[in-house]
PDB file of all heavy atoms in Angstrom:
ATOM      1  N   ASP A   1       4.461 -18.694  -9.267  1.00 98.00           N
ATOM      2  CA  ASP A   1       3.610 -17.512  -9.259  1.00 98.00           C
ATOM      3  C   ASP A   1       3.923 -16.791  -7.981  1.00 98.00           C
ATOM      4  O   ASP A   1       3.471 -17.062  -6.880  1.00 98.00           O
ATOM      5  CB  ASP A   1       2.127 -17.953  -9.268  1.00 98.00           C
ATOM      6  CG  ASP A   1       1.193 -16.751  -9.295  1.00 98.00           C
ATOM      7  OD1 ASP A   1       1.605 -15.629  -9.343  1.00 98.00           O
ATOM      8  OD2 ASP A   1      -0.030 -17.005  -9.220  1.00 98.00           O
ATOM      9  N   PHE A   2       4.706 -15.699  -8.098  1.00 98.00           N
ATOM     10  CA  PHE A   2       5.145 -14.895  -6.960  1.00 98.00           C
ATOM     11  C   PHE A   2       4.202 -13.782  -6.667  1.00 98.00           C
ATOM     12  O   PHE A   2       4.523 -12.904  -5.797  1.00 98.00           O
ATOM     13  CB  PHE A   2       6.513 -14.353  -7.146  1.00 98.00           C
ATOM     14  CG  PHE A   2       7.639 -15.426  -6.993  1.00 98.00           C
ATOM     15  CD1 PHE A   2       8.247 -16.066  -8.083  1.00 98.00           C
ATOM     16  CD2 PHE A   2       8.079 -15.787  -5.705  1.00 98.00           C
ATOM     17  CE1 PHE A   2       9.250 -16.999  -7.900  1.00 98.00           C
ATOM     18  CE2 PHE A   2       9.061 -16.705  -5.529  1.00 98.00           C
ATOM     19  CZ  PHE A   2       9.650 -17.338  -6.653  1.00 98.00           C
ATOM     20  N   ARG A   3       3.116 -13.651  -7.454  1.00 98.00           N
ATOM     21  CA  ARG A   3       2.148 -12.541  -7.202  1.00 98.00           C
ATOM     22  C   ARG A   3       1.460 -12.641  -5.817  1.00 98.00           C
ATOM     23  O   ARG A   3       0.838 -13.599  -5.456  1.00 98.00           O
ATOM     24  CB  ARG A   3       1.066 -12.495  -8.267  1.00 98.00           C
ATOM     25  CG  ARG A   3       1.589 -12.230  -9.689  1.00 98.00           C
ATOM     26  CD  ARG A   3       0.485 -12.456 -10.706  1.00 98.00           C
ATOM     27  NE  ARG A   3       0.021 -13.814 -10.651  1.00 98.00           N
ATOM     28  CZ  ARG A   3      -1.047 -14.197 -11.320  1.00 98.00           C
ATOM     29  NH1 ARG A   3      -1.729 -13.381 -12.030  1.00 98.00           N
ATOM     30  NH2 ARG A   3      -1.445 -15.506 -11.252  1.00 98.00           N
ATOM     31  N   GLY A   4       1.689 -11.614  -4.985  1.00 98.00           N
ATOM     32  CA  GLY A   4       1.005 -11.580  -3.714  1.00 98.00           C
ATOM     33  C   GLY A   4       1.595 -12.376  -2.605  1.00 98.00           C
ATOM     34  O   GLY A   4       1.059 -12.421  -1.514  1.00 98.00           O
ATOM     35  N   ILE A   5       2.708 -13.050  -2.783  1.00 98.00           N
ATOM     36  CA  ILE A   5       3.401 -13.793  -1.747  1.00 98.00           C
ATOM     37  C   ILE A   5       4.719 -13.170  -1.539  1.00 98.00           C
ATOM     38  O   ILE A   5       5.370 -12.651  -2.406  1.00 98.00           O
ATOM     39  CB  ILE A   5       3.505 -15.245  -2.079  1.00 98.00           C
ATOM     40  CG1 ILE A   5       4.465 -15.563  -3.286  1.00 98.00           C
ATOM     41  CG2 ILE A   5       2.173 -15.987  -2.323  1.00 98.00           C
ATOM     42  CD1 ILE A   5       4.748 -17.008  -3.532  1.00 98.00           C
ATOM     43  N   GLN A   6       5.155 -13.221  -0.241  1.00 98.00           N
ATOM     44  CA  GLN A   6       6.405 -12.492   0.090  1.00 98.00           C
ATOM     45  C   GLN A   6       7.282 -13.300   1.095  1.00 98.00           C
ATOM     46  O   GLN A   6       6.706 -14.012   1.953  1.00 98.00           O
ATOM     47  CB  GLN A   6       6.012 -11.137   0.775  1.00 98.00           C
ATOM     48  CG  GLN A   6       5.272 -10.182  -0.078  1.00 98.00           C
ATOM     49  CD  GLN A   6       4.798  -9.013   0.797  1.00 98.00           C
ATOM     50  OE1 GLN A   6       4.233  -9.216   1.900  1.00 98.00           O
ATOM     51  NE2 GLN A   6       5.017  -7.816   0.318  1.00 98.00           N
ATOM     52  N   ASP A   7       8.516 -13.224   0.921  1.00 98.00           N
ATOM     53  CA  ASP A   7       9.505 -13.728   1.926  1.00 98.00           C
ATOM     54  C   ASP A   7       9.757 -12.648   2.912  1.00 98.00           C
ATOM     55  O   ASP A   7       9.275 -11.480   2.732  1.00 98.00           O
ATOM     56  CB  ASP A   7      10.691 -14.376   1.293  1.00 98.00           C
ATOM     57  CG  ASP A   7      11.563 -13.340   0.454  1.00 98.00           C
ATOM     58  OD1 ASP A   7      11.093 -12.237   0.345  1.00 98.00           O
ATOM     59  OD2 ASP A   7      12.627 -13.767   0.000  1.00 98.00           O
ATOM     60  N   ALA A   8      10.727 -12.858   3.815  1.00 98.00           N
ATOM     61  CA  ALA A   8      11.017 -11.759   4.808  1.00 98.00           C
ATOM     62  C   ALA A   8      11.614 -10.533   4.145  1.00 98.00           C
ATOM     63  O   ALA A   8      11.277  -9.410   4.433  1.00 98.00           O
ATOM     64  CB  ALA A   8      12.015 -12.348   5.819  1.00 98.00           C
ATOM     65  N   PHE A   9      12.451 -10.729   3.093  1.00 98.00           N
ATOM     66  CA  PHE A   9      13.068  -9.569   2.440  1.00 98.00           C
ATOM     67  C   PHE A   9      11.971  -8.740   1.737  1.00 98.00           C
ATOM     68  O   PHE A   9      12.002  -7.514   1.942  1.00 98.00           O
ATOM     69  CB  PHE A   9      14.105 -10.019   1.376  1.00 98.00           C
ATOM     70  CG  PHE A   9      14.832  -8.851   0.751  1.00 98.00           C
ATOM     71  CD1 PHE A   9      16.040  -8.423   1.298  1.00 98.00           C
ATOM     72  CD2 PHE A   9      14.324  -8.229  -0.353  1.00 98.00           C
ATOM     73  CE1 PHE A   9      16.694  -7.335   0.702  1.00 98.00           C
ATOM     74  CE2 PHE A   9      14.958  -7.173  -0.995  1.00 98.00           C
ATOM     75  CZ  PHE A   9      16.140  -6.748  -0.380  1.00 98.00           C
ATOM     76  N   MET A  10      11.091  -9.343   1.003  1.00 98.00           N
ATOM     77  CA  MET A  10      10.098  -8.652   0.303  1.00 98.00           C
ATOM     78  C   MET A  10       9.019  -8.060   1.225  1.00 98.00           C
ATOM     79  O   MET A  10       8.546  -6.903   0.959  1.00 98.00           O
ATOM     80  CB  MET A  10       9.428  -9.476  -0.795  1.00 98.00           C
ATOM     81  CG  MET A  10      10.354  -9.698  -2.013  1.00 98.00           C
ATOM     82  SD  MET A  10      10.789  -8.132  -2.813  1.00 98.00           S
ATOM     83  CE  MET A  10      11.945  -8.620  -3.997  1.00 98.00           C
ATOM     84  N   ARG A  11       8.715  -8.733   2.306  1.00 98.00           N
ATOM     85  CA  ARG A  11       7.801  -8.064   3.289  1.00 98.00           C
ATOM     86  C   ARG A  11       8.452  -6.753   3.808  1.00 98.00           C
ATOM     87  O   ARG A  11       7.700  -5.815   3.994  1.00 98.00           O
ATOM     88  CB  ARG A  11       7.562  -9.068   4.448  1.00 98.00           C
ATOM     89  CG  ARG A  11       6.550 -10.151   4.064  1.00 98.00           C
ATOM     90  CD  ARG A  11       6.063 -10.854   5.341  1.00 98.00           C
ATOM     91  NE  ARG A  11       7.154 -11.627   5.999  1.00 98.00           N
ATOM     92  CZ  ARG A  11       7.520 -12.874   5.733  1.00 98.00           C
ATOM     93  NH1 ARG A  11       6.916 -13.519   4.741  1.00 98.00           N
ATOM     94  NH2 ARG A  11       8.509 -13.467   6.345  1.00 98.00           N
ATOM     95  N   GLY A  12       9.742  -6.768   3.978  1.00 98.00           N
ATOM     96  CA  GLY A  12      10.384  -5.596   4.481  1.00 98.00           C
ATOM     97  C   GLY A  12      10.435  -4.425   3.447  1.00 98.00           C
ATOM     98  O   GLY A  12      10.427  -3.268   3.869  1.00 98.00           O
ATOM     99  N   LYS A  13      10.189  -4.745   2.193  1.00 98.00           N
ATOM    100  CA  LYS A  13      10.204  -3.718   1.110  1.00 98.00           C
ATOM    101  C   LYS A  13       8.823  -3.420   0.702  1.00 98.00           C
ATOM    102  O   LYS A  13       8.628  -2.380  -0.113  1.00 98.00           O
ATOM    103  CB  LYS A  13      11.063  -4.226  -0.100  1.00 98.00           C
ATOM    104  CG  LYS A  13      12.522  -4.471   0.242  1.00 98.00           C
ATOM    105  CD  LYS A  13      13.292  -3.280   0.821  1.00 98.00           C
ATOM    106  CE  LYS A  13      14.698  -3.599   1.044  1.00 98.00           C
ATOM    107  NZ  LYS A  13      15.476  -2.386   1.630  1.00 98.00           N
ATOM    108  N   GLY A  14       7.851  -4.198   1.067  1.00 98.00           N
ATOM    109  CA  GLY A  14       6.471  -3.851   0.684  1.00 98.00           C
ATOM    110  C   GLY A  14       6.047  -4.201  -0.707  1.00 98.00           C
ATOM    111  O   GLY A  14       5.002  -3.720  -1.171  1.00 98.00           O
ATOM    112  N   ILE A  15       6.846  -5.075  -1.383  1.00 98.00           N
ATOM    113  CA  ILE A  15       6.449  -5.478  -2.673  1.00 98.00           C
ATOM    114  C   ILE A  15       6.598  -7.059  -2.757  1.00 98.00           C
ATOM    115  O   ILE A  15       6.946  -7.646  -1.793  1.00 98.00           O
ATOM    116  CB  ILE A  15       7.268  -4.861  -3.788  1.00 98.00           C
ATOM    117  CG1 ILE A  15       8.796  -5.211  -3.722  1.00 98.00           C
ATOM    118  CG2 ILE A  15       7.136  -3.356  -3.800  1.00 98.00           C
ATOM    119  CD1 ILE A  15       9.565  -4.823  -4.881  1.00 98.00           C
ATOM    120  N   ASP A  16       6.358  -7.671  -3.912  1.00 98.00           N
ATOM    121  CA  ASP A  16       6.673  -9.102  -4.139  1.00 98.00           C
ATOM    122  C   ASP A  16       7.685  -9.142  -5.251  1.00 98.00           C
ATOM    123  O   ASP A  16       8.049  -8.185  -5.937  1.00 98.00           O
ATOM    124  CB  ASP A  16       5.393  -9.845  -4.357  1.00 98.00           C
ATOM    125  CG  ASP A  16       4.465  -9.310  -5.513  1.00 98.00           C
ATOM    126  OD1 ASP A  16       5.134  -8.787  -6.464  1.00 98.00           O
ATOM    127  OD2 ASP A  16       3.321  -9.456  -5.457  1.00 98.00           O
ATOM    128  N   TYR A  17       8.085 -10.367  -5.550  1.00 98.00           N
ATOM    129  CA  TYR A  17       9.037 -10.634  -6.626  1.00 98.00           C
ATOM    130  C   TYR A  17       8.512 -10.313  -7.960  1.00 98.00           C
ATOM    131  O   TYR A  17       9.257  -9.902  -8.834  1.00 98.00           O
ATOM    132  CB  TYR A  17       9.628 -12.018  -6.532  1.00 98.00           C
ATOM    133  CG  TYR A  17      10.648 -12.268  -5.378  1.00 98.00           C
ATOM    134  CD1 TYR A  17      10.236 -12.879  -4.235  1.00 98.00           C
ATOM    135  CD2 TYR A  17      11.997 -11.763  -5.546  1.00 98.00           C
ATOM    136  CE1 TYR A  17      11.089 -13.112  -3.197  1.00 98.00           C
ATOM    137  CE2 TYR A  17      12.860 -11.957  -4.462  1.00 98.00           C
ATOM    138  CZ  TYR A  17      12.363 -12.590  -3.306  1.00 98.00           C
ATOM    139  OH  TYR A  17      13.349 -12.813  -2.285  1.00 98.00           O
ATOM    140  N   PHE A  18       7.250 -10.519  -8.144  1.00 98.00           N
ATOM    141  CA  PHE A  18       6.641 -10.146  -9.451  1.00 98.00           C
ATOM    142  C   PHE A  18       6.798  -8.628  -9.678  1.00 98.00           C
ATOM    143  O   PHE A  18       7.169  -8.284 -10.812  1.00 98.00           O
ATOM    144  CB  PHE A  18       5.150 -10.557  -9.433  1.00 98.00           C
ATOM    145  CG  PHE A  18       4.395 -10.392 -10.715  1.00 98.00           C
ATOM    146  CD1 PHE A  18       4.235 -11.401 -11.651  1.00 98.00           C
ATOM    147  CD2 PHE A  18       3.830  -9.135 -11.063  1.00 98.00           C
ATOM    148  CE1 PHE A  18       3.658 -11.235 -12.900  1.00 98.00           C
ATOM    149  CE2 PHE A  18       3.106  -8.983 -12.293  1.00 98.00           C
ATOM    150  CZ  PHE A  18       3.028  -9.948 -13.187  1.00 98.00           C
ATOM    151  N   GLU A  19       6.467  -7.855  -8.747  1.00 98.00           N
ATOM    152  CA  GLU A  19       6.644  -6.408  -8.904  1.00 98.00           C
ATOM    153  C   GLU A  19       8.082  -6.073  -9.044  1.00 98.00           C
ATOM    154  O   GLU A  19       8.324  -5.110  -9.843  1.00 98.00           O
ATOM    155  CB  GLU A  19       6.045  -5.752  -7.635  1.00 98.00           C
ATOM    156  CG  GLU A  19       6.332  -4.193  -7.528  1.00 98.00           C
ATOM    157  CD  GLU A  19       5.720  -3.361  -8.695  1.00 98.00           C
ATOM    158  OE1 GLU A  19       4.824  -3.929  -9.407  1.00 98.00           O
ATOM    159  OE2 GLU A  19       6.160  -2.210  -8.908  1.00 98.00           O
ATOM    160  N   ASN A  20       8.915  -6.762  -8.437  1.00 98.00           N
ATOM    161  CA  ASN A  20      10.373  -6.457  -8.546  1.00 98.00           C
ATOM    162  C   ASN A  20      10.787  -6.741 -10.045  1.00 98.00           C
ATOM    163  O   ASN A  20      11.547  -5.899 -10.616  1.00 98.00           O
ATOM    164  CB  ASN A  20      11.176  -7.436  -7.676  1.00 98.00           C
ATOM    165  CG  ASN A  20      12.607  -6.974  -7.510  1.00 98.00           C
ATOM    166  OD1 ASN A  20      12.901  -6.112  -6.721  1.00 98.00           O
ATOM    167  ND2 ASN A  20      13.534  -7.593  -8.204  1.00 98.00           N
ATOM    168  N   SER A  21      10.287  -7.784 -10.609  1.00 98.00           N
ATOM    169  CA  SER A  21      10.648  -8.031 -12.049  1.00 98.00           C
ATOM    170  C   SER A  21       9.947  -7.022 -12.984  1.00 98.00           C
ATOM    171  O   SER A  21      10.574  -6.703 -14.054  1.00 98.00           O
ATOM    172  CB  SER A  21      10.292  -9.435 -12.442  1.00 98.00           C
ATOM    173  OG  SER A  21      11.095 -10.377 -11.756  1.00 98.00           O
ATOM    174  N   ARG A  22       8.802  -6.553 -12.676  1.00 98.00           N
ATOM    175  CA  ARG A  22       8.168  -5.511 -13.367  1.00 98.00           C
ATOM    176  C   ARG A  22       9.017  -4.261 -13.423  1.00 98.00           C
ATOM    177  O   ARG A  22       9.245  -3.592 -14.437  1.00 98.00           O
ATOM    178  CB  ARG A  22       6.781  -5.227 -12.853  1.00 98.00           C
ATOM    179  CG  ARG A  22       5.955  -4.322 -13.755  1.00 98.00           C
ATOM    180  CD  ARG A  22       4.691  -3.834 -13.082  1.00 98.00           C
ATOM    181  NE  ARG A  22       4.844  -2.926 -11.997  1.00 98.00           N
ATOM    182  CZ  ARG A  22       4.957  -1.571 -12.146  1.00 98.00           C
ATOM    183  NH1 ARG A  22       4.784  -1.104 -13.379  1.00 98.00           N
ATOM    184  NH2 ARG A  22       5.192  -0.795 -11.126  1.00 98.00           N
ATOM    185  N   ARG A  23       9.516  -3.906 -12.269  1.00 98.00           N
ATOM    186  CA  ARG A  23      10.327  -2.694 -12.178  1.00 98.00           C
ATOM    187  C   ARG A  23      11.626  -2.929 -12.995  1.00 98.00           C
ATOM    188  O   ARG A  23      12.166  -1.981 -13.632  1.00 98.00           O
ATOM    189  CB  ARG A  23      10.640  -2.410 -10.735  1.00 98.00           C
ATOM    190  CG  ARG A  23       9.363  -2.012  -9.915  1.00 98.00           C
ATOM    191  CD  ARG A  23       9.791  -1.624  -8.433  1.00 98.00           C
ATOM    192  NE  ARG A  23       8.605  -1.321  -7.658  1.00 98.00           N
ATOM    193  CZ  ARG A  23       8.598  -0.976  -6.470  1.00 98.00           C
ATOM    194  NH1 ARG A  23       9.756  -0.783  -5.738  1.00 98.00           N
ATOM    195  NH2 ARG A  23       7.515  -0.672  -5.759  1.00 98.00           N
ATOM    196  N   ALA A  24      12.270  -4.063 -12.853  1.00 98.00           N
ATOM    197  CA  ALA A  24      13.476  -4.351 -13.702  1.00 98.00           C
ATOM    198  C   ALA A  24      13.236  -4.200 -15.213  1.00 98.00           C
ATOM    199  O   ALA A  24      14.068  -3.649 -15.908  1.00 98.00           O
ATOM    200  CB  ALA A  24      13.982  -5.705 -13.348  1.00 98.00           C
ATOM    201  N   THR A  25      12.037  -4.588 -15.601  1.00 98.00           N
ATOM    202  CA  THR A  25      11.660  -4.566 -16.982  1.00 98.00           C
ATOM    203  C   THR A  25      11.473  -3.099 -17.423  1.00 98.00           C
ATOM    204  O   THR A  25      12.053  -2.613 -18.426  1.00 98.00           O
ATOM    205  CB  THR A  25      10.381  -5.297 -17.252  1.00 98.00           C
ATOM    206  OG1 THR A  25      10.567  -6.670 -16.892  1.00 98.00           O
ATOM    207  CG2 THR A  25       9.955  -5.231 -18.687  1.00 98.00           C
ATOM    208  N   LEU A  26      10.767  -2.285 -16.643  1.00 98.00           N
ATOM    209  CA  LEU A  26      10.631  -0.942 -16.842  1.00 98.00           C
ATOM    210  C   LEU A  26      11.950  -0.087 -16.925  1.00 98.00           C
ATOM    211  O   LEU A  26      12.135   0.797 -17.728  1.00 98.00           O
ATOM    212  CB  LEU A  26       9.696  -0.236 -15.837  1.00 98.00           C
ATOM    213  CG  LEU A  26       8.225  -0.814 -15.834  1.00 98.00           C
ATOM    214  CD1 LEU A  26       7.460  -0.155 -14.672  1.00 98.00           C
ATOM    215  CD2 LEU A  26       7.569  -0.452 -17.141  1.00 98.00           C
ATOM    216  N   ALA A  27      12.855  -0.499 -15.988  1.00 98.00           N
ATOM    217  CA  ALA A  27      14.123   0.133 -15.939  1.00 98.00           C
ATOM    218  C   ALA A  27      14.987  -0.108 -17.185  1.00 98.00           C
ATOM    219  O   ALA A  27      15.598   0.803 -17.708  1.00 98.00           O
ATOM    220  CB  ALA A  27      14.921  -0.317 -14.683  1.00 98.00           C
ATOM    221  N   GLN A  28      14.867  -1.275 -17.675  1.00 98.00           N
ATOM    222  CA  GLN A  28      15.635  -1.603 -18.919  1.00 98.00           C
ATOM    223  C   GLN A  28      15.010  -0.881 -20.186  1.00 98.00           C
ATOM    224  O   GLN A  28      15.735  -0.341 -21.013  1.00 98.00           O
ATOM    225  CB  GLN A  28      15.590  -3.101 -19.196  1.00 98.00           C
ATOM    226  CG  GLN A  28      16.748  -3.871 -18.661  1.00 98.00           C
ATOM    227  CD  GLN A  28      17.370  -4.838 -19.685  1.00 98.00           C
ATOM    228  OE1 GLN A  28      17.176  -4.737 -20.873  1.00 98.00           O
ATOM    229  NE2 GLN A  28      18.218  -5.701 -19.109  1.00 98.00           N
ATOM    230  N   GLN A  29      13.644  -0.757 -20.141  1.00 98.00           N
ATOM    231  CA  GLN A  29      13.092  -0.008 -21.256  1.00 98.00           C
ATOM    232  C   GLN A  29      13.575   1.468 -21.158  1.00 98.00           C
ATOM    233  O   GLN A  29      13.889   2.097 -22.192  1.00 98.00           O
ATOM    234  CB  GLN A  29      11.538   0.017 -21.195  1.00 98.00           C
ATOM    235  CG  GLN A  29      10.886   0.697 -22.240  1.00 98.00           C
ATOM    236  CD  GLN A  29       9.483   1.278 -21.924  1.00 98.00           C
ATOM    237  OE1 GLN A  29       9.303   1.568 -20.777  1.00 98.00           O
ATOM    238  NE2 GLN A  29       8.633   1.341 -22.932  1.00 98.00           N
ATOM    239  N   SER A  30      13.561   2.062 -19.972  1.00 98.00           N
ATOM    240  CA  SER A  30      14.003   3.421 -19.784  1.00 98.00           C
ATOM    241  C   SER A  30      15.517   3.609 -20.143  1.00 98.00           C
ATOM    242  O   SER A  30      15.882   4.626 -20.751  1.00 98.00           O
ATOM    243  CB  SER A  30      13.764   3.886 -18.369  1.00 98.00           C
ATOM    244  OG  SER A  30      12.385   3.935 -18.070  1.00 98.00           O
ATOM    245  N   TYR A  31      16.299   2.640 -19.809  1.00 98.00           N
ATOM    246  CA  TYR A  31      17.758   2.694 -20.244  1.00 98.00           C
ATOM    247  C   TYR A  31      17.912   2.739 -21.704  1.00 98.00           C
ATOM    248  O   TYR A  31      18.678   3.517 -22.238  1.00 98.00           O
ATOM    249  CB  TYR A  31      18.421   1.470 -19.599  1.00 98.00           C
ATOM    250  CG  TYR A  31      19.791   1.179 -20.185  1.00 98.00           C
ATOM    251  CD1 TYR A  31      20.947   1.926 -19.635  1.00 98.00           C
ATOM    252  CD2 TYR A  31      20.015   0.371 -21.203  1.00 98.00           C
ATOM    253  CE1 TYR A  31      22.217   1.714 -20.197  1.00 98.00           C
ATOM    254  CE2 TYR A  31      21.336   0.152 -21.782  1.00 98.00           C
ATOM    255  CZ  TYR A  31      22.412   0.863 -21.274  1.00 98.00           C
ATOM    256  OH  TYR A  31      23.665   0.660 -21.804  1.00 98.00           O
ATOM    257  N   ALA A  32      17.127   1.851 -22.404  1.00 98.00           N
ATOM    258  CA  ALA A  32      17.200   1.834 -23.914  1.00 98.00           C
ATOM    259  C   ALA A  32      16.713   3.212 -24.568  1.00 98.00           C
ATOM    260  O   ALA A  32      17.320   3.687 -25.427  1.00 98.00           O
ATOM    261  CB  ALA A  32      16.451   0.706 -24.440  1.00 98.00           C
ATOM    262  N   ALA A  33      15.639   3.702 -23.918  1.00 98.00           N
ATOM    263  CA  ALA A  33      15.182   4.944 -24.434  1.00 98.00           C
ATOM    264  C   ALA A  33      16.139   6.192 -24.220  1.00 98.00           C
ATOM    265  O   ALA A  33      16.380   7.005 -25.133  1.00 98.00           O
ATOM    266  CB  ALA A  33      13.827   5.391 -23.765  1.00 98.00           C
ATOM    267  N   ASP A  34      16.849   6.068 -23.119  1.00 98.00           N
ATOM    268  CA  ASP A  34      17.960   7.079 -22.790  1.00 98.00           C
ATOM    269  C   ASP A  34      19.138   6.822 -23.703  1.00 98.00           C
ATOM    270  O   ASP A  34      19.743   7.771 -24.154  1.00 98.00           O
ATOM    271  CB  ASP A  34      18.260   6.988 -21.343  1.00 98.00           C
ATOM    272  CG  ASP A  34      19.256   8.110 -20.957  1.00 98.00           C
ATOM    273  OD1 ASP A  34      19.168   9.244 -21.397  1.00 98.00           O
ATOM    274  OD2 ASP A  34      20.245   7.772 -20.138  1.00 98.00           O
ATOM    275  N   ASN A  35      19.478   5.532 -23.851  1.00 98.00           N
ATOM    276  CA  ASN A  35      20.619   5.112 -24.744  1.00 98.00           C
ATOM    277  C   ASN A  35      21.870   5.855 -24.432  1.00 98.00           C
ATOM    278  O   ASN A  35      22.441   6.483 -25.357  1.00 98.00           O
ATOM    279  CB  ASN A  35      20.176   5.268 -26.188  1.00 98.00           C
ATOM    280  CG  ASN A  35      21.097   4.589 -27.144  1.00 98.00           C
ATOM    281  OD1 ASN A  35      21.878   3.685 -26.786  1.00 98.00           O
ATOM    282  ND2 ASN A  35      20.988   4.922 -28.370  1.00 98.00           N
ATOM    283  N   PRO A  36      22.428   5.708 -23.201  1.00 98.00           N
ATOM    284  CA  PRO A  36      23.624   6.414 -22.861  1.00 98.00           C
ATOM    285  C   PRO A  36      24.871   6.027 -23.715  1.00 98.00           C
ATOM    286  O   PRO A  36      25.764   6.764 -23.876  1.00 98.00           O
ATOM    287  CB  PRO A  36      23.849   6.161 -21.398  1.00 98.00           C
ATOM    288  CG  PRO A  36      23.132   4.855 -21.252  1.00 98.00           C
ATOM    289  CD  PRO A  36      21.876   4.860 -22.067  1.00 98.00           C
ATOM    290  N   GLY A  37      24.804   4.766 -24.246  1.00 98.00           N
ATOM    291  CA  GLY A  37      25.967   4.324 -25.049  1.00 98.00           C
ATOM    292  C   GLY A  37      25.863   4.720 -26.495  1.00 98.00           C
ATOM    293  O   GLY A  37      26.785   4.461 -27.284  1.00 98.00           O
ATOM    294  N   GLY A  38      24.829   5.404 -26.865  1.00 98.00           N
ATOM    295  CA  GLY A  38      24.711   5.871 -28.321  1.00 98.00           C
ATOM    296  C   GLY A  38      24.551   4.728 -29.326  1.00 98.00           C
ATOM    297  O   GLY A  38      25.124   4.846 -30.377  1.00 98.00           O
ATOM    298  N   TRP A  39      23.957   3.577 -28.963  1.00 98.00           N
ATOM    299  CA  TRP A  39      23.873   2.425 -29.848  1.00 98.00           C
ATOM    300  C   TRP A  39      22.678   2.783 -30.863  1.00 98.00           C
ATOM    301  O   TRP A  39      21.706   3.303 -30.612  1.00 98.00           O
ATOM    302  CB  TRP A  39      23.593   1.246 -29.093  1.00 98.00           C
ATOM    303  CG  TRP A  39      24.677   0.816 -28.164  1.00 98.00           C
ATOM    304  CD1 TRP A  39      24.601   0.985 -26.829  1.00 98.00           C
ATOM    305  CD2 TRP A  39      25.999   0.337 -28.467  1.00 98.00           C
ATOM    306  NE1 TRP A  39      25.724   0.576 -26.227  1.00 98.00           N
ATOM    307  CE2 TRP A  39      26.626   0.167 -27.231  1.00 98.00           C
ATOM    308  CE3 TRP A  39      26.583  -0.069 -29.641  1.00 98.00           C
ATOM    309  CZ2 TRP A  39      27.931  -0.344 -27.178  1.00 98.00           C
ATOM    310  CZ3 TRP A  39      27.891  -0.506 -29.526  1.00 98.00           C
ATOM    311  CH2 TRP A  39      28.520  -0.699 -28.308  1.00 98.00           C
ATOM    312  N   VAL A  40      22.848   2.291 -32.073  1.00 98.00           N
ATOM    313  CA  VAL A  40      21.917   2.453 -33.126  1.00 98.00           C
ATOM    314  C   VAL A  40      20.654   1.573 -32.899  1.00 98.00           C
ATOM    315  O   VAL A  40      20.798   0.399 -32.462  1.00 98.00           O
ATOM    316  CB  VAL A  40      22.560   2.118 -34.532  1.00 98.00           C
ATOM    317  CG1 VAL A  40      21.410   2.146 -35.609  1.00 98.00           C
ATOM    318  CG2 VAL A  40      23.656   3.024 -34.847  1.00 98.00           C
ATOM    319  N   GLY A  41      19.487   2.152 -33.018  1.00 98.00           N
ATOM    320  CA  GLY A  41      18.282   1.342 -32.971  1.00 98.00           C
ATOM    321  C   GLY A  41      17.575   1.251 -31.637  1.00 98.00           C
ATOM    322  O   GLY A  41      16.418   0.768 -31.612  1.00 98.00           O
ATOM    323  N   TYR A  42      18.278   1.679 -30.563  1.00 98.00           N
ATOM    324  CA  TYR A  42      17.639   1.574 -29.244  1.00 98.00           C
ATOM    325  C   TYR A  42      16.525   2.623 -29.153  1.00 98.00           C
ATOM    326  O   TYR A  42      16.533   3.675 -29.779  1.00 98.00           O
ATOM    327  CB  TYR A  42      18.637   1.897 -28.152  1.00 98.00           C
ATOM    328  CG  TYR A  42      19.602   0.794 -27.795  1.00 98.00           C
ATOM    329  CD1 TYR A  42      19.936  -0.188 -28.713  1.00 98.00           C
ATOM    330  CD2 TYR A  42      20.089   0.748 -26.481  1.00 98.00           C
ATOM    331  CE1 TYR A  42      20.750  -1.234 -28.375  1.00 98.00           C
ATOM    332  CE2 TYR A  42      20.897  -0.306 -26.114  1.00 98.00           C
ATOM    333  CZ  TYR A  42      21.275  -1.246 -27.055  1.00 98.00           C
ATOM    334  OH  TYR A  42      22.181  -2.328 -26.686  1.00 98.00           O
ATOM    335  N   GLY A  43      15.513   2.306 -28.297  1.00 98.00           N
ATOM    336  CA  GLY A  43      14.375   3.206 -28.104  1.00 98.00           C
ATOM    337  C   GLY A  43      13.378   2.656 -27.139  1.00 98.00           C
ATOM    338  O   GLY A  43      13.540   1.539 -26.691  1.00 98.00           O
ATOM    339  N   ALA A  44      12.346   3.370 -26.874  1.00 98.00           N
ATOM    340  CA  ALA A  44      11.354   2.947 -25.930  1.00 98.00           C
ATOM    341  C   ALA A  44      10.631   1.654 -26.417  1.00 98.00           C
ATOM    342  O   ALA A  44      10.052   0.897 -25.572  1.00 98.00           O
ATOM    343  CB  ALA A  44      10.321   4.041 -25.721  1.00 98.00           C
ATOM    344  N   ASN A  45      10.686   1.411 -27.704  1.00 98.00           N
ATOM    345  CA  ASN A  45      10.013   0.155 -28.311  1.00 98.00           C
ATOM    346  C   ASN A  45      11.039  -0.815 -28.864  1.00 98.00           C
ATOM    347  O   ASN A  45      10.612  -1.771 -29.499  1.00 98.00           O
ATOM    348  CB  ASN A  45       8.975   0.597 -29.351  1.00 98.00           C
ATOM    349  CG  ASN A  45       7.834   1.297 -28.731  1.00 98.00           C
ATOM    350  OD1 ASN A  45       7.424   1.038 -27.582  1.00 98.00           O
ATOM    351  ND2 ASN A  45       7.245   2.216 -29.539  1.00 98.00           N
TER     352      ASN A  45
END
């Protein structure tokens, strides 16, 4: 459970690893919605 705990790196960034993974998830969703490769079926959902 990385919520609310931080190592030196994350203290320097002002987030925790849980938030980091949330952002990675959101970025992947946005990438699929944008679909720069033009793959069939990709989208926000």
